[in-house]
Amino acid sequence: GRAGTRRGMEAAAPGRCRGCLGLVWALLVAALAAGSCHGNSVERKIYIPLNRTAPCVRLLNATHQIGCQSSISGDTGVIHVVEKEEDLRWVLADGPHPPYMILLDGNLFNRKVLLQLKGTSRVSGLAVAVANPSPPQGFSPGLKCPNDGFGVYSKDYGPEFAHCNTTVWNPLGSGISYEDFDFPIFLLEDANETQVIKQCYLDHNVPRDGSAPEYPLCAMQLFSHMHAVTSTVTCMRRSSLQSTFSINPEIVCDPLLDYNVWSTLQPINSSGKVDPEREVIMVATRIDSHSFFWNIAPGAEGAVSSFVTHLAAAEALHKAPDVPLLPRNVMFTFFQGETFDYIGSSRMVYDMEQDKFPLRLDNIHSFVELNQVALRNGSILWMHTDPVSRMNQSVDVQVKNLLDTLSRSSVGSAVTLREAGFSQPLPPSSFQRFLRARHIPGVVLTDHRTAFQNRYYQSMYDTPENIGMQYPEGLSPEETLEYVTDTAKALAEVATVVARALYGLAGGTNSTSAIQADPKTVTRMLYGFLIKMNNSWFQSIIKPDLKGILGDVPQHYVAVSSPVNTTYLVQYVLANLTGTVVNLTKEECLNPEKNPHSEREMFEYSWVQGSLDPNSTARVPFCVRSGVRLSKALSPAFELRQWGSREYSTWTESRWKDIRARIFLVASRELEIITLVLGIAILVLSLLATYFINAKADVLFSLPRDPGAVAY
């Protein structure tokens, strides 16, 4: 019996050894699993992420690609701080550790420097620190002749004015936004993160006594690989083929699109057609802006000053008592995507021509556009008209009447209106797209006679400070919202003049002294659209399900996901200023078609959050009835699938997978190779040891003989 027991134990020994080995493997797998769970903590010890950055991304049109991108795995380089042009020599020639990631002072972010960096393989990327204060010499990455080729002037219409031959509107425009860079460029929005990078550079990368710094060195890695290449024609064709033949299509680019916002002084049937005999005065402005970096588009002078003035004029005109009796209607229009070759206005003209809009071009009696209006030289506001269409006598008579009405409306105000001159062409404006279709009498109001007053056109520095917005220190957010700035007062004066002129153009005959824009409304809008969208007034006028759009820092880039927050807010501000509060329940407001008296074709109904009840934390919602509507702002080129069009805008934005930036310490190439070789050696030794342990398991893990056991 004992002998049998022993033989059984000996037979079990190898099995136990295998069990021990299995336990070792199980522990190893568990350790790896635990490591994967906590791997992010190891990553945090190695890398410092840069969370407040904005990338330069790739945009495409019918013929070109512009913008920036990294390689597919990101681009890495040793950091070098460049605060003066002499510092570039280390990067371009002397430095022994290329490629370099440059931390560039914002005052050096210009065409001359960028083209030097573009022509070398010693640069892997660029991080730009915001200049504070803004560059005194001005900075505009846009074109000297904005939207050239898509306005009204061409070889067939006013060739002497085409391509800004007469007037260079944006003389400071460097055009770098329209260059193509094969390395990533990021904006550092947070001064604290910029300081962290500089400190890392000072600790590790500064050359000592003229000699190269020793390892480890501080490095940066930027990820911004773009999926689209070459042009809109190429990327849209690829996306179209993917959508046709693939179950899971990989779209590589998207058209820039959004919605125009519009309403009328007297309600019209949105689903029908306005009577051909009915005349409408069209008032227009743009609501989008742009800069070199993605979604960094404050546009204080370039867009916000004009559309805030427009909104204030709409409110003032709606308060006139005899509005329903005016012989002509007034249409308030806010165009999206105008920065990119007039996307919004060209689409509305197209829809009018195709009978896809309630109004036709023939209904437009005259056109008034508000352009950049916040930087007036003294009290002067310039009236620009089109000299080519005015060669037609009947058009010229109507234009003169338009100019006279505007001039009379400014009498007694702090605004002086002057005509820019008969030989002066129109500045870049939405009105030009309407003139391409029909000779319409019109005027564009600006603060400049020739070149822009705005030294920061289409740049990150077109901020509230650029238009003189200043607040006393120590104000709470609520007090800042209500504080009436000098800028608000000046724009309210312009809005008053515009509203009174529109009243006269619409056929009003009564005194206009009561038509007055409210500076308090203007200051609230400026605060909300330029400083902080998430404020108590904006919170009270939007739908409850839209409260997520109220970010802290307002940006006005058109983008590809629509509507963007600017569009929504212009829509609800216009509804609040021109609409009526109606006594309807939430159910009735959300489903007006169930109410036979709602006139659903004439009005839009919105159930908005309302203000906070002073005695509780709950809001008091209400229903607003208005004539505010949205219409698509997608270039007709994409409706017609004419991706190579020279008639319409063809701008698209590339898709990407990952946008991020981080810094870390990098070892020398020699140390990295030694570490790799040692790692491989240890791995090989581990595998060999595991093999021999497994092969000799029966010997290594056999049980000792029991000295008391005797075999017979």
Side-chain angles (χ1 to χ4, degrees):
R2 289 187 180 181
T5 302
R6 177 167 179 77
R7 285 194 295 271
M9 292 174 66
E10 288 177 346
R16 268 191 201 194
C17 296
R18 285 192 290 270
C20 294
L21 194 59
L23 180 62
V24 171
W25 280 111
L27 289 171
L28 182 60
V29 170
L32 290 172
S36 66
C37 293
H38 298 284
N40 58 349
S41 63
V42 176
E43 183 177 350
R44 284 199 297 270
K45 291 177 182 177
I46 299 173
Y47 300 104
I48 299 176
L50 304 174
N51 299 317
R52 292 284 310 282
T53 61
C56 159
V57 303
R58 175 168 290 166
L59 299 172
L60 308 99
N61 66 9
T63 55
H64 292 81
Q65 65 180 29
I66 64 171
C68 323
Q69 78 156 354
S70 73
S71 62
I72 195 166
S73 56
D75 288 329
T76 304
V78 174
I79 295 171
H80 191 75
V81 175
V82 175
E83 295 180 328
K84 52 187 185 295
E85 282 200 49
E86 294 75 32
D87 296 337
L88 286 171
R89 180 170 177 80
W90 182 266
V91 174
L92 299 175
D94 297 344
H97 306 302
Y100 285 95
M101 277 283 177
I102 297 176
L103 174 57
L104 187 68
D105 183 272
N107 289 293
L108 292 177
F109 186 58
N110 55 51
R111 185 177 184 86
K112 178 184 175 184
V113 169
L114 283 180
L115 291 186
Q116 286 185 69
L117 303 180
K118 187 178 179 181
T120 177
S121 60
R122 291 175 58 89
V123 174
S124 59
L126 192 62
V128 181
V130 178
N132 190 14
S134 302
Q137 71 276 15
F139 173 74
S140 173
L143 298 171
K144 293 183 183 295
C145 190
N147 290 359
D148 185 25
F150 290 86
V152 69
Y153 302 114
S154 65
K155 60 182 177 62
D156 301 317
Y157 187 99
E160 66 274 24
F161 305 125
H163 313 300
C164 296
N165 287 334
T166 304
T167 305
V168 177
W169 295 106
N170 186 29
L172 291 175
S174 64
I176 58 173
S177 283
Y178 295 84
E179 292 284 341
D180 184 37
F181 298 93
D182 58 359
F183 54 80
I185 304 178
F186 278 53
L187 176 69
L188 301 173
E189 299 182 73
D190 188 346
N192 293 327
E193 289 188 343
T194 304
Q195 193 55 45
V196 167
I197 300 171
K198 285 185 176 180
Q199 192 59 51
C200 188
Y201 166 79
L202 292 172
D203 292 343
H204 299 279
N205 294 14
V206 175
R208 308 293 179 188
D209 302 322
S211 60
E214 296 181 358
Y215 286 98
L217 298 174
C218 191
M220 183 185 296
Q221 189 172 29
L222 302 178
F223 297 84
S224 63
H225 181 68
M226 300 287 131
H227 294 177
V229 294
T230 308
S231 68
T232 289
V233 176
T234 301
C235 79
M236 288 299 292
R237 184 176 65 243
R238 289 177 179 174
S239 296
S240 179
L241 288 170
Q242 285 272 340
S243 300
T244 304
F245 298 108
S246 176
I247 298 174
N248 297 308
E250 184 179 341
I251 308 301
V252 296
C253 67
D254 300 283
L256 296 182
L257 77 148
D258 205 85
Y259 287 87
N260 300 321
V261 182
W262 65 277
S263 74
T264 52
L265 188 63
Q266 300 163 351
I268 63 172
N269 188 336
S270 63
S271 60
K273 290 287 179 287
V274 173
D275 190 304
E277 303 301 317
R278 185 82 163 121
E279 292 183 325
V280 177
I281 314 297
M282 193 165 186
V283 198
T285 191
R286 68 174 59 188
I287 58 176
D288 69 298
S289 186
H290 180 44
S291 80
F292 186 88
F293 298 100
W294 183 77
N295 207 30
I296 301 294
E301 161 74 343
V304 177
S305 68
S306 56
F307 75 69
V308 161
T309 304
H310 188 170
L311 288 164
E315 180 193 32
L317 187 56
H318 267 270
K319 291 179 179 177
D322 56 339
V323 160
L325 305 176
L326 294 176
R328 297 189 187 99
N329 206 345
V330 178
M331 179 178 172
F332 305 100
T333 316
F334 301 82
F335 291 121
Q336 261 287 13
E338 295 301 274
T339 303
F340 295 95
D341 299 338
Y342 307 119
I343 293 173
S345 55
S346 63
R347 178 53 185 263
M348 185 169 283
V349 170
Y350 174 80
D351 286 345
M352 287 181 174
E353 290 176 325
Q354 301 296 317
D355 280 341
K356 296 179 179 179
F357 197 79
L359 275 74
R360 300 175 179 86
L361 289 170
D362 292 341
N363 291 115
I364 301 175
H365 171 270
S366 51
F367 198 105
V368 177
E369 180 169 351
L370 288 163
N371 213 308
Q372 303 177 70
V373 293
L375 297 176
R376 301 202 310 274
N377 188 2
S379 63
I380 300 173
L381 205 61
W382 295 97
M383 301 182 290
H384 299 262
T385 58
D386 172 41
V388 179
S389 61
R390 288 184 67 178
M391 292 178 184
N392 181 305
Q393 188 175 0
S394 64
V395 172
D396 187 48
V397 169
Q398 294 177 76
V399 170
K400 286 179 178 176
N401 177 58
L402 180 57
L403 297 173
D404 290 344
T405 304
L406 281 162
S407 298
R408 285 195 303 271
S409 301
S410 68
V411 173
S413 74
V415 180
T416 304
L417 287 170
R418 291 186 184 173
E419 190 175 351
F422 188 82
S423 61
Q424 179 80 7
L426 287 169
S429 51
S430 306
F431 179 42
Q432 292 199 32
R433 290 302 303 194
F434 285 80
L435 276 178
R436 283 177 74 130
R438 184 172 176 269
H439 281 179
I440 299 170
V443 62
V444 178
L445 300 177
T446 72
D447 55 22
H448 54 89
R449 183 181 183 184
T450 53
F452 296 160
Q453 295 274 85
N454 186 5
R455 293 176 299 140
Y456 305 109
Y457 182 73
Q458 289 184 6
S459 96
M460 55 191 168
Y461 301 114
D462 191 5
T463 58
E465 292 75 20
N466 186 34
I467 59 173
M469 285 177 63
Q470 296 179 333
Y471 296 92
E473 291 184 7
L475 295 183
S476 68
E478 203 61 31
E479 290 169 335
T480 310
L481 172 68
E482 301 294 341
Y483 181 81
V484 180
T485 62
D486 291 340
T487 304
K489 293 174 185 175
L491 292 180
E493 290 167 352
V494 176
T496 298
V497 170
V498 171
R500 290 175 178 177
L502 293 174
Y503 176 80
L505 290 169
T509 55
N510 294 336
S511 170
T512 58
S513 58
I515 299 176
Q516 188 79 35
D518 185 0
K520 198 163 187 175
T521 301
V522 175
T523 209
R524 282 177 164 188
M525 289 191 286
L526 288 174
Y527 179 81
F529 284 113
L530 286 174
I531 296 175
K532 188 176 182 182
M533 280 187 169
N534 195 12
N535 61 72
S536 59
W537 185 48
F538 278 6
Q539 289 168 8
S540 70
I541 64 174
I542 64 170
K543 292 180 178 181
D545 58 341
L546 290 179
K547 58 186 177 184
I549 69 171
L550 297 176
D552 276 341
V553 182
Q555 303 296 348
H556 308 293
Y557 174 61
V558 58
V560 297
S561 56
S562 58
V564 295
N565 51 10
T566 304
T567 304
Y568 274 128
L569 288 170
V570 168
Q571 177 189 6
Y572 284 98
V573 168
L574 184 58
N576 178 267
L577 298 180
T578 63
T580 307
V581 176
V582 289
N583 187 23
L584 295 177
T585 64
K586 182 178 180 179
E587 179 67 23
E588 291 170 333
C589 190
L590 295 177
N591 301 283
E593 65 277 358
K594 295 180 180 179
N595 185 344
H597 306 294
S598 66
E599 298 180 283
R600 185 73 179 85
E601 296 81 10
M602 309 293 283
F603 299 103
E604 293 286 328
Y605 292 80
S606 301
W607 184 257
V608 300
Q609 290 193 121
S611 302
L612 286 170
D613 189 320
N615 300 318
S616 73
T617 57
R619 294 187 175 274
V620 184
F622 55 91
C623 186
V624 175
R625 185 185 72 183
S626 73
V628 181
R629 295 182 174 89
L630 301 180
S631 66
K632 191 175 284 188
L634 170 66
S635 171
F638 298 100
E639 292 283 315
L640 301 169
R641 295 176 67 86
Q642 296 176 0
W643 303 320
S645 172
R646 300 300 178 93
E647 169 72 13
Y648 298 113
S649 170
T650 55
W651 285 105
T652 54
E653 181 185 273
S654 173
R655 288 196 178 185
W656 59 81
K657 184 178 181 181
D658 196 16
I659 297 283
R660 57 194 171 99
R662 59 189 185 183
I663 63 172
F664 56 96
L665 293 181
V666 62
S668 68
R669 180 69 63 185
E670 292 79 8
L671 182 58
E672 288 178 341
I673 292 172
I674 291 170
T675 304
L676 177 63
V677 171
L678 283 174
I680 293 171
I682 291 170
L683 175 63
V684 171
L685 287 172
S686 301
L687 292 173
L688 289 172
T690 303
Y691 172 78
F692 284 114
I693 289 171
N694 190 46
K696 301 294 183 181
D698 55 337
V699 177
L700 295 172
F701 299 104
S702 62
L703 292 175
R705 295 177 180 271
D706 186 353
V710 181
Y712 295 97

